[in-house]
Amino acid sequence: MPADSRAARCPDHRRALLALAVAALFGQAGGGARAAEPLVLQPSTTLAPSPGGDDARQRPMILRADELRVRPDLDVVAEGQVEFRRAGTVIRAERLSYDSLSDTATARGQVFVGRDGVSYRGPELQLQVQRFEGFFLQPEFEFEALGAGGRAARIDFLDSARARAHQAVYTSCPRDGGGEPDWLLRTDRVKLDFEANEGVAEGAVLQFLGLPILALPVLSFPLSDDRKSGWLPPSIGLDSRSGFELGVPYYWNIAPNRDATFTPTVLTRRGLALDSEFRYLEPQHEGRLRLHLLPQDRSVGRSRNAWQADNTGRLFGAVDYRANILRVSDDSYWKDFPQIVPSTTPRLLTQDVAAERLLSTALGPMTAYARVQRWQVLQTGSGADLIVAPYQRSPQLGLRLAPVLPAGLRASLQTEVNRFTLTHDTADTQLPTGWRWHALGQLSRPFTRPGGWVIPRLTLNAASYSFEPAGGGTQRASRVIPTASFDAGLVLERATQWFGRAQRQTLEPRLLYVNTPYRDQSALPNFDAAERDFNAVSIYAENAFSGIDRVSDAHQLTAGFTTRLVDAATGAETLRLGLAQRFRLRDQRVVLSGDPLTQRFSDVLLEGGTSVFNPWKFDAALQYNPDSQRVVRSIVGARFQPGPFRTLSAGYRLARGLSEQVELGWQWPVYSGKARPVGASGGCGGKLYAVGRLNYSVKDSRMTDSLAGLEYDTGCWIARIVSERLSTGRAEATTRLLVQLELVGLSRLGSNPLQVLKDNIPGYRLLREPRGTPFPTSEP
């Protein structure tokens, strides 16, 4: 190539040689005599990240083009399929001129710029490459990680970390059509500071389906997934008890490990409310504090509040603690604000504080623990609507020891002191209160082999009481009850062929013998004992009661088996069947209520599940009474899930004489848009999904709880409308309407129903997994 300004025209097959020459020539202008190492046409044997900072600036310039005019150490003009690379920046254009003295590149004609996952396209660019200063006229930009972008009248690059865009438009909808996208964010000017992770938009207007729905004079937002203080999108909802609700959250990013959210809310039937939450994550502590406050609830004429503390951590480097406290101001709070009382027992709120420490002793590891547990009972109505709260433990002090013994012996010991009290608002004031000390010890010698096990075990349950019965006075009593048991089982396997696939079949028989002598416990208080739910796990328990205060007398044998088919290739369970029954060799005289149990053979437990008929899955559990020859309890479920976002489920629950329920759940596409784009301006296509769950009481002939809604996914925005009905009594319920608009790549507006859908619909999946967004969301 001549070393003057005359044009040197090169055919396509000589472009690689031309690129090598230009890279070597202009690499000296970059501050170093680096050869054309990036152009070595050999595969790399190692993977390393691209250099940044000063290292990136020292890299050579690489230029490819159909035609070059070069003046060494001065400038170069390239035309025809130009590609320019330097300092982590890629520029493509029809024509490019580069001044090496000012390090300025000027490009015209279908200009493309790519840097750090952001690309720009437009007609004209002027840029000081290493400093990344310049301007781009009428560019279109794209955030590759978000699949979103837009256009601007002009973008000024102030340096590698700051930029300013004029008359910018942003959207995640397709932008290659003739009309406007379904949603877009218009701004007069946007300032971007990537070092501070902050963007400031002036004169921002959010437009949806051709209509402006939100306007803000100044909008501040983060430029990555990192959190940033500022106002979040409003939350909108409709409640049958509170009316229309409008909340505007403010997010405060206090520190990388601490934040807070304050949500002032207007409720048309109640007035003003404030919902606040503080979260923290320290090296030894983590948790959250929440306060919901109504200074003056117009519907009841007084102030109302709820507060919650949920914390865990370690004190003094050795004491682990946890605190879970939830309190409300009045008995109707759980009805009026079900979203604020997210408890499985909304009328029984716990205040539980506990601490424990692990100690090393000569006998083995020992854990010392202390706990205080209290309850708040929300009594509404009278008669059958009143509930009896569990006893409070004020306090509970205990030790757990697992001594290390020789000859394969295993032992455990737990001892506690508890003071049991009642809440002032319990429905039963005739219950005793007082102190209890107990010790629960076990000694066993397991014999285990790959194909089975044998475990003989001795258990001792001792307790001493000092209590005050309802009639007054103080009484003392104690008892010691031993138990001997023998647990044995086998796990047999074989290779087989079922359903046209290689399978491994197991046969797992199990036998449990228990002998506990009878001790009269009718005169002792019952602070924490309750009958165990009769299922495939509890049937193999030594004691028919949970807790300490009651020990069932037993001379019984429990036998059962489970067989499984496991796919040999995937390890997935294809089929499972189980059967178990208990045989009493004498009557069980210790019961909580009623007559002693004289039935020699217990109810039969049968359970099973299969996924043979893919995509169908079936599960069932039955409790069959051989005397009455009737099913006493049953749970039957089926799920059809042929693919993502397609699930149908049905369930039936029966507890004879108590309840009978039918459950239905679904997430299913009910409408698919045509292949051509749809929307207000032809931007996005869409698919409509129906979602919901229904719980129907056959015994009461009424719907207990229900959830139903629609989701419409266009690819760049999702609309959700969900109605939730929660039963709060035999003849009353709370209904909420949740409406949300999710603008993919921007934010979610309205009330968030996603957690409600995930908690209630088996197999529910989000239509769009979050990919991050440069803008704030309503879920910090």
Side-chain angles (χ1 to χ4, degrees):
M1 181 186 304
D4 55 21
S5 60
R6 293 173 295 173
R9 303 185 180 276
C10 307
D12 289 344
H13 67 274
R14 296 177 60 192
R15 295 180 67 200
L17 295 177
L18 177 60
L20 282 169
V22 175
L25 178 65
F26 283 90
Q28 298 177 358
R34 300 208 174 201
E37 295 176 354
L39 296 178
V40 176
L41 303 179
Q42 294 180 358
S44 173
T45 58
T46 61
L47 292 175
S50 301
D54 294 336
D55 291 338
R57 296 185 180 92
Q58 297 300 323
R59 299 188 72 181
M61 182 190 76
I62 300 174
L63 181 63
R64 294 184 177 93
D66 291 337
E67 180 178 328
L68 292 176
R69 293 191 294 273
V70 180
R71 291 191 300 172
D73 297 328
L74 294 177
D75 59 16
V76 59
V77 177
E79 295 183 348
Q81 302 184 59
V82 180
E83 182 176 314
F84 175 94
R85 295 176 179 267
R86 190 173 191 184
T89 302
V90 179
I91 302 175
R92 299 189 185 98
E94 295 179 354
R95 185 181 189 278
L96 183 142
S97 61
Y98 177 75
D99 187 329
S100 60
L101 297 179
S102 61
D103 189 33
T104 300
T106 302
R108 293 183 176 86
Q110 299 182 11
V111 182
F112 168 87
V113 177
R115 181 185 177 92
D116 297 333
V118 182
S119 61
Y120 307 86
R121 300 175 186 272
E124 183 177 349
L125 167 73
Q126 181 175 305
L127 187 68
Q128 289 183 273
V129 181
Q130 289 186 7
R131 297 166 59 92
F132 208 75
E133 295 179 1
F135 63 86
F136 208 141
L137 297 181
Q138 300 178 357
E140 295 182 356
F141 52 89
E142 185 83 17
F143 295 99
E144 298 174 3
L146 302 175
R151 63 181 185 272
R154 174 187 173 109
I155 293 181
D156 294 319
F157 303 106
L158 307 181
D159 53 40
S160 60
R162 296 181 301 141
R164 183 171 56 237
H166 303 269
Q167 302 299 320
V169 175
Y170 172 84
T171 184
S172 63
C173 291
R175 300 176 297 283
D176 50 2
E180 282 192 344
D182 277 12
W183 74 265
L184 49 85
L185 179 66
R186 297 182 181 274
T187 62
D188 295 336
R189 187 168 64 173
V190 179
K191 299 177 183 178
L192 305 176
D193 190 332
F194 294 95
E195 285 185 352
N197 186 37
E198 182 181 37
V200 178
E202 300 176 1
V205 177
L206 180 60
Q207 180 177 311
F208 179 66
L209 299 181
L211 299 175
I213 61 174
L214 183 65
L216 293 172
V218 178
L219 172 66
S220 176
F221 53 89
L223 299 177
S224 68
D225 291 338
D226 295 338
R227 304 186 303 268
K228 182 186 179 299
S229 299
W231 291 100
L232 302 180
S235 174
I236 302 172
L238 188 62
D239 188 284
S240 61
R241 289 180 172 269
S242 300
F244 179 77
E245 302 177 6
L246 173 62
V248 183
Y250 181 83
Y251 178 73
W252 181 19
N253 185 30
I254 303 171
N257 61 328
R258 290 185 292 272
D259 63 11
T261 305
F262 304 94
T263 308
T265 306
V266 176
L267 301 91
T268 55
R269 295 184 181 178
R270 301 187 184 276
L272 296 177
L274 176 65
D275 189 9
S276 56
E277 182 185 47
F278 169 69
R279 303 184 301 178
Y280 66 92
L281 180 60
E282 306 291 343
Q284 298 291 327
H285 312 276
E286 64 176 289
R288 70 187 187 105
L289 302 173
R290 185 178 184 182
L291 172 64
H292 185 250
L293 176 64
L294 286 84
Q296 183 67 20
D297 187 342
R298 292 200 304 264
S299 65
V300 296
R302 65 175 185 271
S303 65
R304 307 175 73 184
N305 65 82
W307 64 275
Q308 182 179 15
D310 188 3
N311 306 274
T312 59
R314 174 166 291 188
L315 299 171
F316 314 114
V319 180
D320 295 323
Y321 77 92
R322 72 176 188 276
N324 185 7
I325 302 173
L326 174 61
R327 289 196 64 86
V328 298
S329 60
D330 54 85
D331 289 340
S332 299
Y333 218 93
W334 69 283
K335 292 182 178 182
D336 296 339
F337 307 101
Q339 71 277 14
I340 304 299
V341 189
S343 172
T344 55
T345 55
R347 295 179 60 188
L348 190 61
L349 309 182
T350 182
Q351 294 94 51
D352 194 349
V353 179
E356 65 177 35
R357 179 173 181 174
L358 182 63
L359 305 172
S360 297
T361 68
L363 296 177
M366 181 173 67
T367 302
Y369 56 93
R371 181 187 186 192
V372 175
Q373 183 183 42
R374 303 181 68 85
W375 302 96
Q376 181 183 8
V377 183
L378 307 184
Q379 301 286 19
T380 56
S382 61
D385 291 331
L386 298 178
I387 62 175
V388 178
Y391 277 94
Q392 301 181 134
R393 298 173 187 259
S394 309
Q396 177 185 17
L397 306 174
L399 294 173
R400 286 192 300 266
L401 176 66
V404 179
L405 300 179
L409 293 172
R410 295 183 182 177
S412 65
L413 175 65
Q414 180 190 54
T415 180
E416 282 185 6
V417 175
N418 289 268
R419 180 175 178 263
F420 293 97
T421 61
L422 295 170
T423 64
H424 68 278
D425 47 6
T426 186
D428 191 347
T429 59
Q430 302 301 312
L431 296 174
T433 60
W435 290 84
R436 184 194 70 197
W437 167 87
H438 82 263
L440 184 64
Q442 288 188 349
L443 178 65
S444 64
R445 175 54 172 95
F447 299 91
T448 59
R449 295 292 184 270
W453 77 90
V454 174
I455 306 177
R457 179 184 291 111
L458 293 175
T459 303
L460 191 69
N461 187 321
S464 180
Y465 299 87
S466 175
F467 63 98
E468 299 174 0
T474 300
Q475 297 183 15
R476 290 180 173 82
S478 61
R479 51 96 176 141
V480 178
I481 305 175
T483 297
S485 67
F486 184 86
D487 193 2
L490 295 173
V491 180
L492 308 176
E493 290 188 9
R494 69 167 184 168
T496 184
Q497 192 83 12
W498 283 75
F499 316 112
R501 302 195 301 268
Q503 304 277 342
R504 295 196 66 84
Q505 184 180 13
T506 70
L507 180 62
E508 307 166 34
R510 184 178 179 184
L511 189 68
L512 173 68
Y513 170 75
V514 179
N515 193 334
T516 303
Y518 169 74
R519 296 289 186 271
D520 185 7
Q521 303 160 57
S522 59
L524 301 177
N526 180 11
F527 294 129
D528 64 356
E531 289 186 0
R532 295 183 186 270
D533 182 51
F534 193 65
N535 54 47
V537 176
S538 66
I539 196 172
Y540 290 104
E542 297 177 354
N543 189 1
F545 306 109
S546 62
I548 298 296
D549 292 316
R550 293 293 182 269
V551 179
S552 59
D553 58 313
H555 186 205
Q556 62 192 29
L557 194 65
T558 303
F561 76 90
T562 301
T563 182
R564 310 173 197 270
L565 288 178
V566 179
D567 192 289
T570 65
E573 187 177 81
T574 307
L575 178 68
R576 181 189 75 259
L577 291 174
L579 180 70
Q581 188 177 28
R582 179 182 294 160
F583 175 65
R584 295 187 181 91
L585 302 175
R586 67 167 181 252
D587 296 346
Q588 179 184 324
R589 300 167 62 186
V590 178
V591 293
L592 293 183
S593 61
D595 298 327
L597 299 179
T598 60
Q599 182 185 20
R600 285 292 177 258
F601 289 95
S602 74
D603 293 350
V604 179
L605 290 177
L606 176 65
E607 64 166 358
T610 181
S611 58
V612 171
F613 309 102
N614 190 45
W616 285 93
K617 292 184 179 180
F618 298 93
D619 290 283
L622 305 177
Q623 179 180 338
Y624 175 78
N625 187 299
D627 294 338
S628 64
Q629 297 183 352
R630 301 181 71 182
V631 173
V632 179
R633 292 199 314 169
S634 64
I635 301 176
V636 181
R639 183 188 298 184
F640 178 64
Q641 197 164 7
F645 320 117
R646 289 170 168 82
T647 179
L648 300 174
S649 63
Y652 173 77
R653 298 173 180 268
L654 169 68
R656 192 168 300 277
L658 296 177
S659 66
E660 186 176 5
Q661 286 189 325
V662 176
E663 302 175 359
L664 298 175
W666 63 91
Q667 181 188 25
W668 199 264
V670 295
Y671 171 78
S672 293
K674 298 181 180 180
R676 63 181 179 83
V678 297
S681 51
C684 307
K687 183 174 289 188
L688 183 67
Y689 296 84
V691 294
R693 181 171 182 173
L694 303 177
N695 293 341
Y696 180 77
S697 174
V698 179
K699 182 176 181 295
D700 299 331
S701 300
R702 68 185 184 95
M703 194 74 67
T704 54
D705 296 328
S706 63
L707 180 76
L710 296 171
E711 293 184 292
Y712 183 65
D713 183 8
T714 68
C716 65
W717 59 269
I718 302 173
R720 299 182 178 94
I721 179 169
V722 176
S723 175
E724 180 186 23
R725 182 183 184 274
L726 300 175
S727 178
T728 57
R730 296 181 181 272
E732 60 179 347
T734 298
T735 302
R736 289 196 301 160
L737 184 64
L738 307 175
V739 180
Q740 184 185 64
L741 176 62
E742 178 178 349
L743 305 178
V744 178
L746 182 66
S747 187
R748 292 172 180 159
L749 309 176
S751 300
N752 184 13
L754 295 179
Q755 193 61 47
V756 174
L757 296 175
K758 289 187 290 185
D759 290 344
N760 288 275
I761 302 177
Y764 174 82
R765 290 184 57 181
L766 294 177
L767 298 183
R768 185 88 52 223
E769 294 294 337
R771 292 190 298 176
T773 169
F775 298 92
T777 68
S778 57
E779 296 83 32

